[in-house]
Amino acid sequence: MKTIKVGLLGIGNVGSGTYLALEMNCAAIEKSAGVHVEIAKILNRRPEAKRAVDVPREKYTADPYEIINDPEIQIIAEVMGGIEPATTYMADALKAGKHVVTANKAALAVNGKQLQQLAMDNHVMLRFEASVGGGIPIINAVADPLVSNQYDEVLGILNGTTNYILTKMTENGADYADVLRDAQAKGFAEADPTGDVEGIDVANKLSILISLLFGKRILPQDIPTTGITSISGIDISYATEFGYKIKLIAHAQRTPEGLTYSVEPTLLPVSHPMAAVSNEFNAVFVRGNAVDELMFYGKGAGPLPTGSAVLGDIIDIANCIAKGAAFDVQPLLHYDSKMPSLGEGSAQYYMRMTAIDRPGILGHIASTFAKHDIGLQSVMQRAGDNDRKTSVPLIFICYTTERRILNEALNEIRADGYATSIDAVMRVQDR
Ligand SMILES: NC(=O)c1ccc[n+]([C@@H]2O[C@H](COP(=O)([O-])OP(=O)(O)OC[C@H]3O[C@@H](n4cnc5c(N)ncnc54)[C@H](OP(=O)(O)O)[C@@H]3O)[C@@H](O)[C@H]2O)c1
């Protein structure tokens, strides 16, 4: 049986999970794939540190180029994270004729175009199943068995930490800060959770999905992104009354005018299949023009689920090498669509504001919305919900409108002094 040698760059969560998944399933892999995959060298800058897996010390090196330039190593799995030096190492590996597997959404979202070009120029493969949705096989599925589709829409719950926090806030009526502390204690949130709770991690993943599904290069920083830090328990309970759950949703949609996209807390109808995705689980929902609706569900993070995806890519490539298959039929990421990029576009919106408790105020606010051609689907006034008798919370759900126009109307309502504060504005997914 042919042995394919692999180099790992990094031995943290995902590196250890990849190593362990191979140890656990080595015999089954050999039987089904017909190749022996060996992790031959591992980049470890702290060889004395305790790692989650037992690795023979002679596999470790502190020099990445001992792996990148090793003529026996054919596949390199980059599981270090960060944009640099990971991008440079991947680029150098591709130039050295190595196939590259990566879990690194941050590097891929920004440098995927350059890396993919290098892979094509050097007739090697660049695979990145683990970069979006961890263990969920979304990338290879949309690129391979679903390639016959033109995609109309994608919705993703792509961050386990934020989904866990929102689930607990919904189930227990608990506040964001308390749930975050609990999530950190249970290992579902990092000590510094900024990248997760501010939506940055999800924007990286949406950027990759957009190039894959819609053929456009939208950098993460150009995706309108709102995290979950300002969601309050009161919005969750109002949403429940209206028949919705609040989830942090990555959304992109092909419209007649162009591509719309955002990462933001979104009210999903409880009947929507994505509304049932709870705790640390992730899901991706796509609408293809041939396959119609599809949903992928699973663990979006964790050493073994993510290691499973990394290893899957490694085995696929090893299989191609063993069979002498062509590598120049790439991929996956596309950047050639001429569709205009529209940002948030149009949607229904949920709004909560605090208004002066005076006769006629609700009418003034409704007529300001009407002036901007914004129709109101639901209106709720809850005098008893506010301690101060001089103000009252007003909750609206409007019909589909452009976010830009909604912002103009809200600015006018604020400037007219009808509302003392606009406390929440969230997208509502209508189907
Ligand atoms: N964790 C997940 O569940 C998950 C899911 C999907 C995708 N990913 C992606 O997978 C990648 C790895 O994540 P992770 O959670 O495994 O991170 P991690 O636990 O922090 O592990 C990173 C590893 O890379 C090493 N490393 C980092 N920078 C290095 C450098 N400049 N030189 C040498 N070694 C370096 C670290 O060494 P030290 O141990 O010495 O610091 C560590 O061994 C990231 O791109 C992440 O976004 C992670």
Side-chain angles (χ1 to χ4, degrees):
M1 189 177 298
K2 198 168 175 123
T3 294
I4 306 290
K5 291 198 178 181
V6 177
L8 276 191
L9 302 181
I11 186 76
N13 290 308
V14 180
S16 304
T18 305
Y19 192 88
L20 189 58
L22 181 60
E23 269 194 341
M24 282 161 51
N25 300 323
C26 191
I29 292 165
E30 284 180 10
K31 201 164 158 215
S32 64
V35 282
H36 175 70
V37 172
E38 179 194 339
I39 295 179
K41 278 189 187 159
I42 300 173
L43 174 66
N44 182 356
R45 61 183 171 184
R46 295 184 299 128
E48 306 309 324
K50 184 156 173 42
R51 301 294 177 179
V53 282
D54 253 341
V55 176
R57 285 189 62 98
E58 61 273 16
K59 285 191 192 280
Y60 285 143
T61 171
D63 176 5
Y65 287 89
E66 216 183 284
I67 299 175
I68 292 167
N69 295 327
D70 183 332
E72 291 195 350
I73 288 179
Q74 291 177 280
I75 304 171
I76 290 184
E78 181 280 307
V79 283
M80 300 165 44
I83 295 175
E84 284 296 352
T87 299
T88 300
Y89 295 168
M90 285 192 273
D92 289 344
L94 294 164
K95 285 182 209 159
K98 315 287 181 194
H99 306 280
V100 169
V101 174
T102 181
N104 192 334
K105 56 252 170 183
L108 214 52
V110 178
N111 295 319
K113 188 173 186 197
Q114 167 212 344
L115 291 170
Q116 181 164 281
Q117 191 58 50
L118 277 174
M120 288 161 88
D121 292 347
N122 291 284
H123 302 283
V124 287
M125 291 168 102
L126 171 69
R127 299 287 290 264
F128 44 90
E129 183 57 71
S131 66
V132 179
I136 303 173
I138 175 73
I139 303 276
N140 294 322
V142 294
D144 195 359
L146 299 173
V147 72
S148 59
N149 283 266
Q150 173 175 294
Y151 293 98
D152 297 324
E153 188 173 22
V154 62
L155 275 86
I157 293 176
L158 294 172
N159 183 276
T161 303
T162 46
N163 203 39
Y164 177 87
I165 292 173
L166 291 175
T167 302
K168 295 302 169 209
M169 286 176 74
T170 306
E171 283 172 356
N172 311 332
D175 277 336
Y176 167 78
D178 293 337
V179 180
L180 174 62
R181 261 194 304 278
D182 170 59
Q184 283 168 323
K186 291 192 168 125
F188 289 131
E190 307 260 350
D192 175 4
T194 315
D196 293 323
V197 298
E198 298 294 355
I200 300 159
D201 171 71
V202 176
N204 283 328
K205 294 167 181 169
L206 182 60
S207 166
I208 296 170
L209 285 177
I210 287 173
S211 69
L212 198 69
L213 300 172
F214 302 105
K216 286 202 73 73
R217 183 166 191 242
I218 312 285
L219 292 172
Q221 61 265 32
D222 297 328
I223 296 176
T225 299
T226 308
I228 65 163
T229 52
S230 58
I231 296 177
S232 74
I234 193 83
D235 292 314
I236 289 180
S237 71
Y238 287 142
T240 306
E241 276 188 53
F242 282 119
Y244 295 96
K245 274 194 185 168
I246 299 178
K247 297 282 179 191
L248 181 63
I249 295 290
H251 179 251
Q253 186 169 15
R254 184 191 301 275
T255 73
E257 295 78 33
L259 187 72
T260 65
Y261 42 87
S262 67
V263 172
E264 55 189 317
T266 299
L267 277 71
L268 289 179
V270 284
S271 57
H272 196 288
M274 296 284 277
V277 178
S278 298
N279 293 311
E280 74 276 29
F281 281 87
N282 281 202
V284 183
F285 179 91
V286 291
R287 279 181 222 281
N289 65 351
V291 73
D292 208 342
E293 294 181 355
L294 271 177
M295 189 162 121
F296 300 79
Y297 170 88
K299 291 219 164 148
L304 271 176
T306 314
S308 148
V310 171
L311 189 58
D313 279 344
I314 291 173
I315 293 165
D316 257 5
I317 297 173
N319 228 326
C320 284
I321 298 172
K323 289 187 179 131
F327 305 121
D328 49 354
V329 190
Q330 294 271 356
L332 296 184
L333 298 167
H334 305 279
Y335 302 102
D336 49 359
S337 167
K338 299 279 181 289
M339 236 189 319
S341 306
L342 301 179
E344 289 149 310
S346 301
Q348 285 192 260
Y349 288 95
Y350 161 97
M351 291 160 277
R352 176 170 60 85
M353 57 185 80
T354 305
I356 303 158
D357 194 3
R358 217 172 53 209
I361 291 291
L362 181 57
H364 280 300
I365 292 173
S367 57
T368 306
F369 280 131
K371 199 174 106 192
H372 290 268
D373 209 17
I374 298 169
L376 296 174
Q377 179 187 287
S378 307
V379 179
M380 189 158 79
Q381 175 170 340
R382 278 293 166 82
D385 290 357
N386 200 316
D387 294 343
R388 291 164 55 219
K389 299 289 177 241
T390 50
S391 62
V392 60
L394 295 178
I395 299 95
F396 303 93
I397 293 181
C398 68
Y399 289 112
T400 298
T401 186
E402 264 184 64
R403 179 66 192 244
R404 181 184 56 81
I405 293 172
L406 183 72
N407 287 345
E408 282 170 16
L410 290 173
N411 286 340
E412 202 170 313
I413 289 166
R414 210 184 274 115
D416 287 343
Y418 299 138
T420 48
S421 57
I422 311 283
D423 305 305
V425 182
M426 283 183 255
R427 198 174 157 273
V428 177
Q429 179 70 26
D430 53 0
R431 61 179 188 136

